[in-house]
Amino acid sequence: MAYTALYRVYRPQTFQDVVGQEHVTVTLRNALREQRLSHAYLFNGPRGTGKTSAAKIMAKAVNCEQPQDGEPCNQCATCKAITDGSVTDVLEIDAASNRGVEEIRDIRDKVKFAPSDVKYKVYIIDEVHMLTTEAFNALLKTLEEPPSHVIFILATTEPHKLPATIISRCQRFDFHRISLREMVRRLSYICESQQVSVEEQALTLVAKMAEGGMRDALSLLDQAISYSNEKITAADIMQITGTVSQGYFSTLARSVANRDVAQVMEQFDKVMVQGKDPEQFLHDFLYYYRDMLLLKTAPHLEEIVERTMIDDQFAQVAQLYEIPHLYSAIEVCNQSLAQLKWSTYARVLVELTLVKLCQLPGQSPQQGATQSAAVSNTASGEDLAGLANRIRQLEERLAQLAQGQGLQSGQAQAEEPRKQEARRPVAAAGGGSRTPMNRVREAAMAVNEALSRQVRGQWSQILADVKKVKIQYQAWLVNGQPAAVGSDSVVVTFTSPIHCDKTMEPELKNVIERAILGVVGRPLQLLSVMEEEWQSVYQQAAQGDAQKQEEQDPFVAEAIKLVGEGLVEVKE
C-alpha cells in the first residue's frame, strides 16, 4: 500500500483534534449543539492552522446521523462517506484554479437543488481571495440568501483581499498561529504513535521552523524521519532545512563582539563552503540578535524567542553586548537584507555587513572593564611627586598672568594653534550634486543622533513606501544611505552621481519626502549628496568644533581643568 504523508494521516477528524484553535472550535460546537447554524462562514488565518480541516469537520457534524455533543461520530455511513470524499453534496472547490465567473455561476445554478444523500449541501471554497471581481459579484446574492439546505464555508489566508460585501455576509472566525508548546505536544504524540525516537530539542526546532503552521511541522517531521536512521536529532533537522546551528551563531557573535574580523570571515566562509544561502544566513543572524535583545529586555518571555534556545552559551554571549549595540546590529542587518533583493553579489554584501558589525560604535562590557582597569592602574601608578611639580609650575604661571608679565608670551602661544589650522578639504573632482551645500553644512552642524538612528532603522520601510508609488522611484533611491538627520532635513549619500541628481528632481523628491513623513512622523527635507562631499562637510564641522576649543588660551584651559572654572579669573 502506498505511503501516506503524516499531515494527511493525522488530519483532525473532530473539533477536539484541532490544535490551538479553542476559540473557534468551542463556538462551532455550541452552535451545532443548539442548532444555531449560519448559512455562511469565513475561516481565515495563516497556512496550516486547521481552516480546511475545521470546514470538513463542520460538514460532517451538520450531516452526522448520531452527533455527540456538537461533534461528528465518525462511525456512521455519512461521516465515513464525507471523510472518503464520496458524498457529492459536500463539495470542496479550489478557488485558485476555479476563479472565473462561469464556475461561480455553475454553483449558483446548482444550489437550488436539494441534496441527494445528506441533510445539508456544504460548499467549501478554499483560497477564496483568488476569485475575480466578477465571480465575487456573481456569488453575492446567493451567499446572502441561500436555500435552507445549503451552507457555504469560505477559507482564505488573505482576508483583506475579500470585498467587504462578502465578509459582511459571513460569520468570521480568525485562526491563530499555533503556539510552540501546543505544537511540540502534538508532535511528541505523533512520534509516540509512529514509534519514532526523537530528541526534545529536535521537536522544539521543528516547531520553531514551522512558524505556527502544523502542516509545515508535520511535513518537516516526515522528512526528518526519512533522513534519520534510529533517532531524530537537532543536527538532522538543521541538515535537512539548511539552517545554521545556534552554537555557530554564538561563536560568530562572540567574534563580532571582540571585533575579530579575521575570525568572523573565517566562520562565514565555513557556511558558504557548505552551500548555505547568504540571504538565509543573514536572516537567521538577524533573528539571533533579535532573540538576544529579548533576553536582555524581557528575560521571562522565553516562549516568544523565535530561533534560539536559551542556554548557558547564549546567555554568556548576550553579556558581551549592550542594548544600544544590539539596536545598531539589528538595524545594519535589516538594511542589508533590504539591499540583498537588488544586489547581484549577495555574498560580498553579507561580508560587508559582517565587517560593519565588527566596527559598530560601542564595546562589550568585558572590553570596557579592561580599559577601565588599565586607566585605573595608570592613575594609581603615576608619580605623585611629578604631579606636585606640575601644580607648582601652573601656580607660578597663573601668578605671572595675574601681574601681566606673561601676557605677550601667552598671546604668542595662543596664536600658534591658529597658524597651524588645517586646510579645509575640498570636494572630490568630477562635479558635485545639485543640493545646496549650505543646507548640508547646517545639517552636519546640528545632527540629531536619535532621529538619525530612527531613520536608518526604518529606511527599508521608506523604500517600500516609495516602491508602492512607483518601482522606478525606489530603484533610484535604493543606492542611497541615510547619513545624518538635522533639525529639519535628512542627508542621504550616494556613490553614483546619476542617482544623486535624479533623487533631487522635484517630482521624485516630493515622493520621497512624503514617504519619510509617513514613516518617521515629521517632515524632513531630502538632501542628496555624493559620499565624498558629505565626508568633506562632516570633517569641516568636526574641525570647526575643535578650532573653538583651540582658540582658548592653553594656560587658562589648564588652570580650569585643575581648579575649576569658578576659581579662575583672567585680567588684561
Side-chain angles (χ1 to χ4, degrees):
M1 185 175 179
Y3 178 75
T4 306
L6 287 180
Y7 77 87
R8 295 178 58 192
V9 174
Y10 292 94
R11 180 186 290 274
Q13 300 299 324
T14 64
F15 287 120
Q16 290 184 346
D17 293 339
V18 180
V19 179
Q21 311 297 341
E22 286 76 12
H23 62 290
V24 175
T25 57
V26 170
T27 305
L28 293 178
R29 288 179 61 189
N30 291 340
L32 288 164
R33 189 187 304 114
E34 300 172 6
Q35 293 298 309
R36 300 174 61 89
L37 298 178
S38 175
H39 62 281
Y41 296 89
L42 173 62
F43 294 167
N44 64 269
R47 67 183 189 277
T49 53
K51 299 184 296 297
T52 307
S53 297
K56 291 182 177 180
I57 296 170
M58 186 77 177
K60 288 192 294 184
V62 298
N63 291 307
C64 182
E65 300 172 7
Q66 299 173 349
Q68 301 173 358
D69 193 27
E71 294 274 17
C73 67
N74 288 315
Q75 301 297 326
C76 65
T78 300
C79 287
K80 291 181 179 179
I82 294 175
T83 302
D84 296 339
S86 58
V87 176
T88 58
D89 295 319
V90 177
L91 290 87
E92 183 177 357
I93 303 166
D94 179 20
S97 55
N98 299 278
R99 59 195 305 262
V101 65
E102 295 298 331
E103 289 86 350
I104 300 302
R105 284 176 179 169
D106 183 63
I107 295 174
R108 185 185 61 185
D109 295 339
K110 293 179 179 179
V111 156
K112 56 188 177 183
F113 298 111
S116 57
D117 300 325
V118 294
K119 190 188 309 181
Y120 288 97
K121 267 190 174 182
V122 181
Y123 288 90
I124 302 172
I125 305 179
D126 199 11
E127 300 298 333
V128 69
H129 65 273
M130 298 292 290
L131 292 179
T132 63
T133 303
E134 294 78 9
F136 276 126
N137 292 334
L139 184 63
L140 276 177
K141 190 62 178 177
T142 304
L143 195 63
E144 183 177 18
E145 297 177 357
S148 59
H149 57 264
V150 173
I151 296 177
F152 283 95
I153 303 178
L154 314 181
T156 179
T157 56
E158 302 182 47
H160 57 277
K161 293 185 177 180
L162 268 65
T165 51
I166 293 289
I167 296 176
S168 64
R169 287 166 166 79
C170 304
Q171 279 192 15
R172 178 172 175 172
F173 292 89
D174 295 324
F175 284 68
H176 301 163
R177 291 183 182 274
I178 303 173
S179 68
L180 183 68
R181 184 178 303 174
E182 292 176 331
M183 191 175 294
V184 170
R185 187 185 301 119
R186 179 68 173 174
L187 292 175
S188 179
Y189 164 76
I190 292 174
C191 288
E192 290 178 2
S193 302
Q194 293 289 317
Q195 298 181 355
V196 174
S197 178
V198 59
E199 290 182 355
E200 183 177 356
Q201 187 176 4
L203 290 181
T204 304
L205 190 58
V206 169
K208 289 187 175 183
M209 295 295 296
E211 297 182 348
M214 181 59 72
R215 183 172 61 244
D216 292 351
L218 291 179
S219 297
L220 182 56
L221 180 63
D222 210 348
Q223 187 177 356
I225 293 174
S226 301
Y227 177 81
S228 304
N229 293 325
E230 298 179 355
K231 185 175 183 179
I232 301 176
T233 63
D236 296 336
I237 303 299
M238 294 177 187
Q239 185 66 30
I240 63 178
T241 57
T243 57
V244 182
S245 67
Q246 178 176 334
Y248 169 84
F249 280 128
S250 296
T251 303
L252 183 65
R254 190 185 298 274
S255 300
V256 171
N258 294 332
R259 303 180 184 276
D260 190 349
V261 178
Q263 182 67 20
V264 169
M265 291 294 101
E266 182 179 347
Q267 293 291 329
F268 178 65
D269 184 67
K270 289 181 180 178
V271 297
M272 290 297 100
V273 170
Q274 297 174 8
K276 308 297 183 182
D277 179 44
E279 185 174 357
Q280 183 63 37
F281 165 84
L282 191 58
H283 181 270
D284 293 340
F285 200 31
L286 170 65
Y287 267 98
Y288 183 88
Y289 277 128
R290 178 259 189 193
D291 294 341
M292 188 182 296
L293 180 63
L294 285 181
L295 176 67
K296 296 181 76 68
T297 55
H300 302 294
L301 299 180
E302 295 186 4
E303 291 188 2
I304 65 175
V305 173
E306 289 282 349
R307 293 289 191 275
T308 55
M309 311 288 181
I310 306 300
D311 55 13
D312 294 338
Q313 185 180 14
F314 182 70
Q316 290 173 2
V317 175
Q319 293 178 359
L320 301 177
Y321 288 85
E322 296 290 346
I323 291 179
H325 196 187
L326 290 175
Y327 291 157
S328 302
I330 293 173
E331 289 176 1
V332 169
C333 293
N334 185 42
Q335 291 175 4
S336 298
L337 280 171
Q339 295 174 359
L340 272 174
K341 298 177 182 179
W342 307 94
S343 176
T344 308
Y345 307 99
R347 174 170 180 172
V348 176
L349 184 56
V350 175
E351 289 174 342
L352 178 61
T353 303
L354 292 175
V355 175
K356 284 183 179 179
L357 291 176
C358 293
Q359 297 177 351
L360 285 176
Q363 58 189 7
S364 66
Q366 289 185 351
Q367 292 172 331
T370 303
Q371 291 184 1
S372 299
V375 171
S376 177
N377 293 334
T378 302
S380 61
E382 192 167 350
D383 188 7
L384 295 179
L387 286 175
N389 186 29
R390 291 180 58 193
I391 292 173
R392 187 164 51 252
Q393 292 177 0
L394 287 172
E395 289 176 347
E396 293 177 356
R397 292 178 183 176
L398 284 174
Q400 292 176 1
L401 286 173
Q403 296 174 4
Q405 296 178 1
L407 185 59
Q408 295 180 351
S409 61
Q411 291 177 345
Q413 294 183 12
E415 292 175 357
E416 185 69 21
R418 298 192 186 100
K419 295 180 180 179
Q420 297 177 357
E421 180 180 359
R423 298 179 62 184
R424 295 182 177 180
V426 296
S433 64
R434 65 174 72 181
T435 305
M437 296 310 295
N438 59 331
R439 294 299 311 279
V440 179
R441 294 189 187 94
E442 292 175 3
M445 295 296 292
V447 175
N448 188 330
E449 293 294 344
L451 192 56
S452 300
R453 286 195 297 269
Q454 180 185 355
V455 172
R456 293 191 195 102
Q458 297 176 326
W459 189 246
S460 59
Q461 181 61 44
I462 294 171
L463 290 173
D465 290 351
V466 173
K467 182 180 178 182
K468 292 178 182 178
V469 179
K470 196 172 184 181
I471 191 171
Q472 287 84 353
Y473 289 168
Q474 196 249 15
W476 286 114
L477 183 61
V478 74
N479 181 254
Q481 288 295 326
V485 178
S487 57
D488 60 350
S489 59
V490 54
V491 178
V492 179
T493 61
F494 291 83
T495 56
S496 168
I498 299 176
H499 291 75
C500 181
D501 291 341
K502 187 70 177 179
T503 52
M504 289 303 292
E505 292 183 357
E507 182 180 356
L508 177 53
K509 184 172 180 289
N510 291 334
V511 171
I512 297 171
E513 289 175 350
R514 286 200 302 271
I516 294 173
L517 174 61
V519 174
V520 181
R522 60 184 296 177
L524 294 173
Q525 183 181 2
L526 176 66
L527 301 176
S528 298
V529 296
M530 295 298 291
E531 189 171 349
E532 302 86 12
E533 293 178 325
W534 168 248
Q535 294 295 336
S536 174
V537 172
Y538 190 75
Q539 290 175 5
Q540 291 176 15
Q543 290 178 358
D545 292 339
Q547 181 180 352
K548 291 179 181 178
Q549 296 178 358
E550 291 177 359
E551 288 177 354
Q552 190 178 29
D553 191 289
F555 297 119
V556 177
E558 194 71 25
I560 291 174
K561 291 180 183 179
L562 181 64
V563 298
E565 188 174 1
L567 299 179
V568 176
E569 180 180 0
V570 180
K571 296 181 179 179
E572 296 293 340

